[in-house]
Amino acid sequence: MKGQTNPMPTKVSALTARNQFGQILRRVNEKRERFLVDRRGEPQAVVMSFADFLDLAAPPPRVLEEIWAAARKSGADQLTARQIDAEISAARGERRAGGRRSRQGR
């Protein structure tokens, strides 16, 4: 699991989970910790980050992970929304200009 330091969940009682829920949520989000909540010694629930849940329930396809890796390598993952929009507009403009030239050359 990405970014997780301890794959084993920390066991807490339902009473502790109720009394320290804010702290548990903070640790789940900041440190990607997991908590196993039990009642009278019986496991009842698991508290984990949404990102961890998605990794388990719907992992991204390999091709998407490859695209993300290429974007990180090229620095494209650092582009702002405004920069992405500008790149799209420029590519569309080039495509339109190229399309006109090919029609005129017929």
Side-chain angles (χ1 to χ4, degrees):
M1 278 152 262
K2 302 169 191 165
Q4 188 168 344
T5 55
N6 184 5
M8 295 299 296
T10 302
K11 189 173 178 181
V12 296
S13 69
L15 178 63
T16 300
R18 185 181 74 195
N19 291 336
Q20 298 179 6
F21 194 61
Q23 180 184 357
I24 288 172
L25 286 180
R26 187 170 43 257
R27 289 171 60 181
V28 162
N29 284 321
E30 291 174 4
K31 301 177 184 177
R32 287 187 84 165
E33 289 184 57
R34 293 181 179 178
F35 292 86
L36 174 64
V37 182
D38 73 6
R39 181 183 288 162
R40 297 186 199 110
E42 293 291 321
Q44 300 293 310
V46 175
V47 181
M48 68 173 65
S49 72
F50 187 67
D52 276 349
F53 172 74
L54 286 179
D55 286 346
L56 288 173
R62 177 176 221 113
V63 67
L64 190 53
E65 288 182 344
E66 291 170 2
I67 290 169
W68 290 338
R72 280 191 299 274
K73 186 175 181 182
S74 71
D77 64 327
Q78 301 298 314
L79 294 175
T80 65
R82 182 171 279 164
Q83 291 169 322
I84 292 169
D85 288 341
E87 288 290 328
I88 292 170
S89 294
R92 286 179 178 162
E94 289 174 13
R95 186 171 156 192
R96 277 188 228 112
R100 277 190 231 118
R101 277 190 225 121
S102 65
R103 286 186 198 132
Q104 292 172 352
R106 285 185 193 172

